[in-house]
Amino acid sequence: MVAVIDYGIGNSHSAQKALEVCGADARLTADPELIASADGVVLPGVGAFGACMAALRNGGLEQPALDAAASGRPFLGICVGMQMLFTRSEENPDATGLGIIPGTVRRIPTEPGVGPKIPQMQWNRLDLVQPDDPMLVGLGADPWVYFVHSLHGVPDDPSVVAATVEYGTTLNAAFRLDNVFAAQFHPEKSSAPGLALLSNFVGVCSRADAGAALPLSTEVER
């Protein structure tokens, strides 16, 4: 069973439906107890970093999300849900993120009249930095996935970058930190490669158990 955190903003329904296609018992939920009992947890999101963090906190779901990530169970952040895992964002400097992946979400570099066009709204090819990651196996050598974003995550530790993409410059597109995987692109909108990634997540969830769980290497308490 996979809990898709529902805090009132984001692509929650499309993520839930895609996970169901991949064989999960996917539950769209704001129930902390259900999130705590799930085999895996997904944090989706679209829109602005600050608004999404405010909605998560106002819904009483910040600590359940932190607890889920710290539990060692498979955890997946998607799009702004990925950005929320970082410490801060240039989009809303006064807002604080979950701090699970230490670092800053930065704007995509661009020059007026030169480009690239912001936001990036297109299919683009992933460069797999960690091709053996369980979430990336089977996506193919040159997977094309769908992006809608104006910012990208820049972690304090570059080794957590799992995939990049070229858009005017090299942008970070996916991240791995222990049991947490995060993608800037939308796997639920990315055809076969996206469904392969979500199927990998469902498979990891089905194999996970408490004895095999990995703790986070960073402090995530608030």
Side-chain angles (χ1 to χ4, degrees):
M1 190 269 284
V2 175
V4 181
I5 299 178
D6 181 12
Y7 54 96
I9 300 179
N11 53 327
S12 303
H13 287 284
S14 57
Q16 177 200 17
K17 296 303 181 185
L19 286 161
E20 289 178 343
V21 169
C22 295
D25 174 13
R27 313 276 186 90
L28 186 60
T29 183
D31 182 353
E33 292 186 3
L34 188 60
I35 295 168
S37 65
D39 298 302
V41 176
V42 175
L43 179 64
V46 295
F49 176 89
C52 286
M53 284 305 309
L56 189 74
R57 290 184 172 120
N58 291 339
L61 294 170
E62 178 181 23
Q63 196 58 51
L66 289 170
D67 291 344
S71 72
R73 289 172 291 149
F75 191 105
L76 172 62
I78 297 175
C79 195
V80 177
M82 175 227 87
Q83 296 179 13
M84 294 162 71
L85 300 178
F86 279 74
T87 311
R88 64 191 68 85
S89 173
E90 291 182 347
E91 183 178 31
N92 301 110
D94 294 334
T96 56
L98 295 171
I100 293 169
I101 301 176
T104 302
V105 179
R106 301 195 181 278
R107 296 190 182 277
I108 297 174
T110 188
E111 295 182 39
V114 178
K117 184 178 179 181
I118 304 299
Q120 176 182 201
M121 298 179 63
Q122 64 174 29
W123 292 79
N124 207 336
R125 184 181 64 84
L126 285 182
D127 292 314
L128 304 183
V129 179
Q130 300 182 27
D132 295 330
D133 188 284
M135 291 289 289
L136 300 175
V137 172
L139 271 64
D142 297 305
W144 287 75
V145 294
Y146 189 69
F147 288 86
V148 182
H149 67 128
S150 301
L151 303 98
H152 73 122
V154 180
D156 292 346
D157 179 2
S159 71
V160 307
V161 175
T164 62
V165 67
E166 294 301 317
Y167 190 67
T169 186
T170 300
L171 305 177
N172 299 321
F175 308 86
R176 161 69 69 187
L177 179 57
D178 297 334
N179 57 299
V180 175
F181 190 89
Q184 177 62 70
F185 55 91
H186 286 274
E188 76 282 3
K189 298 180 180 179
S190 296
S191 191
L195 289 178
L197 186 148
L198 292 177
S199 293
N200 287 341
F201 181 73
V202 174
V204 169
C205 291
S206 70
R207 295 190 297 270
D209 59 57
L214 290 172
L216 282 173
S217 60
T218 56
E219 181 62 51
V220 297
E221 292 183 0
R222 284 287 181 272

